[in-house]
Amino acid sequence: MMRTRPLKVALLGCGVVGSEVARIMTTHADDLTARIGAPVELAGVAVRRPSKVREGIDPELITTDATALVKRGDIDVIVEVIGGIEPARTLITTAFEHGASVVSANKALIAQDGAALHEAAVEHGRDLYYEAAVAGAIPLIRPLRESLAGDKVNRVLGIVNGTTNFILDAMDTTGAGYQEALDEATALGYAEADPTADVEGFDAAAKAAILAGIAFHTRVRLDDVYREGMTEVTAADFASAKRMGCTIKLLAICERAADGGSVTARVHPAMIPLSHPLASVRGAYNAVFVEAEAAGQLMFYGPGAGGSPTASAVLGDLVAVCRNKLAEATGPGDSAYTQLPVSSMGEVVTRYHISLDVADKPGVLAQVATVFAEHGVSIDTVRQTGKDGEASLVVVTHRAPDAALSGTVEALRNLDTVRGVASIMRVEGE
């Protein structure tokens, strides 16, 4: 039987995503009612600039007092799309205390304080959903949390930032330098005026923390994620990658150790073979490759940002939370029963592509090879070119602990015959 009394929804934030959520709630009202089993009503919208014209939203719903909105007591679901840590954290916990469940797109907050927020939700018998926090429109959290709940996920490898993928794809396909590609991304609206969060890997690191926690049923905080940006990637790196049959992507990588006793989460640029599914992800799209014990290899692909894609994920969560509300139940919450430790980057086993500027004279290769051997790192391939007393030496290693590879690089810098380390990049996706 259809319930006639509407479920009341309040929006915290009405920017690109929030305004699109409000629009879809209005234009798809009948469909949402049929799917939920009750009508949903936009009951309030908290904003910072009330004078701004917001088409399709009753001005009477607009308020600058977000705290009063979440304390009303008659709100069933709060949709938080303001971002940042505060006041979002306080507003969410206050919403739980006053009877509302929460749908959020706030990756930074979930990555930093997800455990505490889940505890608060459980304490008050509320839901906390955040599909939109990781990969825009791509259904990813729900498949990991529900569809693969009976399986064992061993690895999550993905492109989770559209801005960086657009830049790297432009560098790969057009030969543009980093700054030129960034300027194009900015002009097209893919990059913010201050792109630091994207290009330095902060955005992807927050998403990696969330993914690792869900995939491995353990607590992974933002501080646990190794992070390396992509601002030092050059056209020469792409040329080297092409010679290896690879391209370069900024990857979020979450792995369970071979013995199952620990996990790692990291974000950094990496060369991946052109044969890998992630190599063909173009433009500002996102894609995440999941490796599970029984299901095998799965790939999730689609637009990872933007008003409409992100709003789609928010609305999907809203429907689920509203259904739970009608059933007087809550959905799956935080699952951290494994309590696995998070290993440091130095313990991660990786491959390196190392480009060295060296003296063009006999014995240099032997000296370099000796350094690798002394650090227990096996060489896969070597390519050397040079003239007029200067040479370039490119070494690709076999897999070894990252600490050993880092130690090798430091020792190479101390060789008299090594003029400099032109570039270092990890190789993934074998």
Side-chain angles (χ1 to χ4, degrees):
M1 181 177 177
M2 181 75 68
R3 168 175 143 166
T4 56
R5 183 170 65 83
L7 292 160
K8 294 188 176 183
V9 178
L11 268 176
L12 304 183
C14 196
V16 174
V17 176
S19 59
E20 191 65 10
V21 169
R23 185 192 67 80
I24 295 173
M25 284 183 63
T26 301
T27 58
H28 294 183
D30 291 343
D31 287 336
L32 291 172
T33 298
R35 294 166 190 173
I36 292 169
V40 289
E41 172 190 320
L42 186 59
V45 182
V47 300
R48 286 183 296 180
R49 295 185 295 275
S51 60
K52 181 179 177 181
V53 176
R54 294 172 172 88
E55 292 184 12
I57 297 178
D58 184 348
E60 294 296 319
L61 297 178
I62 301 295
T63 178
T64 57
D65 194 344
T67 300
L69 183 59
V70 300
K71 284 184 174 181
R72 271 177 42 174
D74 65 334
I75 301 297
D76 295 291
V77 185
I78 295 290
V79 175
E80 183 271 307
V81 287
I82 57 178
I85 305 302
E86 288 291 358
R89 174 170 50 196
T90 299
L91 291 170
I92 288 174
T93 55
T94 302
F96 292 147
E97 293 166 1
H98 288 79
S101 290
V102 174
V103 173
S104 175
N106 195 332
K107 53 188 170 288
L109 178 59
I110 301 301
Q112 178 172 305
D113 290 316
L117 292 175
H118 272 293
E119 289 172 4
V122 170
E123 179 185 352
H124 297 284
R126 308 302 168 199
D127 273 323
L128 173 63
Y129 277 46
Y130 42 88
E131 183 69 67
V134 172
I138 306 172
L140 186 58
I141 290 177
R142 193 171 286 110
L144 284 172
R145 181 182 277 165
E146 299 178 26
S147 304
L148 296 174
D151 208 339
K152 181 181 180 182
V153 176
N154 291 318
R155 195 171 196 234
V156 180
L157 173 77
I159 299 164
V160 294
N161 184 278
T163 300
T164 56
N165 198 60
F166 180 90
I167 292 169
L168 292 172
D169 185 41
M171 293 175 70
D172 185 25
T173 56
T174 69
Y178 166 75
Q179 189 59 51
E180 184 182 350
L182 173 59
D183 290 344
E184 182 184 4
T186 304
L188 292 172
Y190 292 123
E192 301 287 344
D194 179 1
T196 303
D198 295 322
V199 300
E200 294 294 352
F202 291 102
D203 176 86
K207 295 171 180 178
I210 296 170
L211 288 174
I214 295 170
F216 307 134
H217 302 278
T218 197
R219 294 275 164 77
V220 180
R221 288 172 53 88
L222 182 57
D223 291 346
D224 295 322
V225 182
Y226 172 84
R227 177 194 55 79
E228 188 179 312
M230 42 78 71
T231 57
E232 301 301 317
V233 177
T234 66
D237 291 326
F238 274 102
S240 293
K242 287 181 179 180
R243 282 192 288 268
M244 290 177 59
C246 293
T247 188
I248 299 170
K249 299 291 185 182
L250 184 76
L251 299 179
I253 305 170
C254 311
E255 293 178 304
R256 189 191 300 269
D259 63 4
S262 64
V263 299
T264 58
R266 50 196 165 103
V267 170
H268 55 73
M271 294 182 179
I272 58 172
L274 294 174
S275 58
H276 194 281
L278 292 179
S280 61
V281 178
R282 301 297 184 189
Y285 274 71
N286 285 190
V288 178
F289 204 70
V290 176
E291 298 176 12
E293 202 165 83
Q297 297 179 331
L298 308 170
M299 184 168 165
F300 301 83
Y301 170 85
S308 293
T310 305
S312 171
V314 169
L315 266 296
D317 279 351
L318 179 62
V319 168
V321 169
C322 286
R323 286 172 175 170
N324 292 343
K325 192 85 173 181
L326 292 179
E328 298 183 346
T330 55
D334 191 26
S335 175
Y337 71 91
T338 62
Q339 298 182 356
L340 295 172
V342 182
S343 298
S344 68
M345 186 63 194
E347 299 174 74
V348 174
V349 177
T350 62
R351 295 176 67 202
Y352 265 25
H353 174 282
I354 305 170
S355 179
L356 304 171
D357 295 326
V358 300
D360 187 15
K361 62 182 183 179
V364 173
L365 180 56
Q367 284 185 324
V368 169
T370 298
V371 170
F372 278 90
E374 288 173 345
H375 286 80
V377 178
S378 176
I379 294 175
D380 183 13
T381 62
V382 178
R383 185 178 71 254
Q384 184 173 6
T385 59
K387 63 179 181 177
D388 300 328
E390 298 296 329
S392 174
L393 190 65
V394 176
V395 179
V396 180
T397 72
H398 286 291
R399 291 170 63 83
D402 200 80
L405 288 161
S406 297
T408 303
V409 172
E410 288 307 306
L412 289 171
R413 294 183 194 275
N414 293 326
L415 289 178
D416 291 339
T417 51
V418 174
R419 309 292 193 225
V421 179
S423 69
I424 309 166
M425 192 166 296
R426 295 174 182 87
V427 182
E428 299 285 346
E430 301 163 270

